[in-house]
Amino acid sequence: MHEGVLIAAEAVSRSYRQGGASIAAVTSATFRLHAQDRIALMGRSGSGKSTLLHLMAGLDVPSSGALAWPALGAPDTLLPEKVSLVFQAPSLLEPMTVSENVALPLLLAKAAGDIDAAVSAALATFGLEGLARKLPEELSGGQMQRVAMARAIVGNPRVILADEPTGQLDQATGHALLDALIAHLSATHTALVIATHDPSVAGRMDTIWRIERGVLAVPVMAREGL
Ligand SMILES: Nc1ncnc2c1ncn2[C@@H]1O[C@H](COP(=O)(O)OP(=O)(O)O)[C@@H](O)[C@H]1O
Ligand SMILES: [Mg+2]
């Protein structure tokens, strides 16, 4: 089903000031993200992947150019309901249990419905049922990544932006996490963008967007798509 354009970027740039210098993290990016897109955002370290994901989430603001979320609404309404961002760095809240961490987007969004049931289902998607009452400090790195993924899907967002979600995992663990995520999303219309420098991860997605020194290259369809 075609649900229109979720994110539209027109010549979006983001530069950072550092001392007297200006660092161009993203330069003139133009693209469209559609429902059900499965995109690998590939580029080496420092190429601008995290900056681009933060812009797409409305968490950061372009220095120039225009970003819009035609099917989603105003930037301050995106997180965490419509867009889930899985940060590159560990992001679980230490004093809260696994269940409480996963419930957070629903609580922030004041979601209706059975929160406990939604949390249980999200945990089960990633095989985490046994860890519900653990604290983050009791988990391995791989388990923390899976909990962060469970938190990203729990509210059934329209877009998931995952920043190197398998970066700290061995290949088998990383692929198991992707398998679970892709199987889950195949039942929804959620768009997925995964930043990675791992070709085997990128190979699991439908489309590759390459970014090099802030310059994004996307297929023609993703530039001109309606
Ligand atoms: N907050 C910041 N202040 C200054 N420079 C930054 C900041 N965040 C990122 N950069 C710089 O912007 C560029 C792109 O960074 P980033 O988006 O983190 O790339 P990637 O995620 O691909 O590793 C790099 O040169 C990085 O050093
Ligand atoms: Mg990064």
Side-chain angles (χ1 to χ4, degrees):
M1 201 205 317
H2 186 72
E3 297 185 11
V5 176
L6 300 173
I7 307 179
E10 204 63 48
V12 164
S13 298
R14 173 69 164 104
S15 52
Y16 296 107
R17 294 219 68 83
Q18 206 167 57
S22 172
I23 297 171
V26 172
T27 303
S28 198
T30 296
F31 61 85
R32 308 271 180 274
L33 184 78
H34 297 93
Q36 286 175 301
D37 278 353
R38 300 271 181 272
I39 289 163
L41 175 61
M42 283 200 85
R44 62 181 62 177
S45 182
S47 57
K49 301 182 298 298
S50 294
T51 301
L52 189 64
L53 292 187
H54 295 172
L55 289 164
M56 293 171 78
L59 195 62
D60 192 7
V61 180
S63 310
S64 65
L67 261 169
W69 295 266
L72 300 180
D76 61 349
T77 69
L78 302 175
L79 294 167
E81 287 175 79
K82 303 167 190 165
V83 176
S84 288
L85 181 56
V86 183
F87 288 95
Q88 186 169 1
S91 61
L92 301 181
L93 299 187
E94 293 291 337
M96 301 174 79
T97 65
V98 163
S99 292
E100 289 165 347
N101 267 281
V102 173
L104 266 180
L106 300 175
L107 298 174
L108 290 170
K110 300 189 174 59
D114 187 339
I115 289 183
D116 289 344
V119 168
S120 297
L123 290 175
T125 298
F126 294 101
L128 295 165
E129 298 93 328
L131 301 180
R133 302 167 79 91
K134 298 261 191 220
L135 290 168
E137 67 186 17
E138 301 176 90
L139 306 180
S140 70
Q143 289 169 336
M144 285 189 206
Q145 296 274 33
R146 280 148 65 201
V147 174
M149 273 297 176
R151 186 173 61 181
I153 65 161
V154 73
N156 197 17
R158 305 281 302 278
V159 180
I160 294 178
L161 306 170
D163 200 348
E164 309 209 29
T166 61
Q168 310 299 321
L169 310 180
D170 63 69
Q171 200 172 63
T173 311
H175 280 260
L177 179 132
L178 283 182
D179 285 342
L181 180 63
I182 291 167
H184 173 76
L185 293 185
S186 67
T188 71
H189 294 120
T190 307
L192 174 64
V193 182
I194 291 187
T196 184
H197 49 248
D198 181 344
S200 74
V201 171
R204 309 291 302 279
M205 301 292 114
D206 295 334
T207 308
I208 294 179
W209 293 3
R210 292 189 190 279
I211 185 164
E212 199 172 327
R213 294 190 199 171
V215 178
L216 179 70
V218 305
V220 171
M221 281 298 290
R223 285 178 66 86
E224 297 176 354
L226 297 173

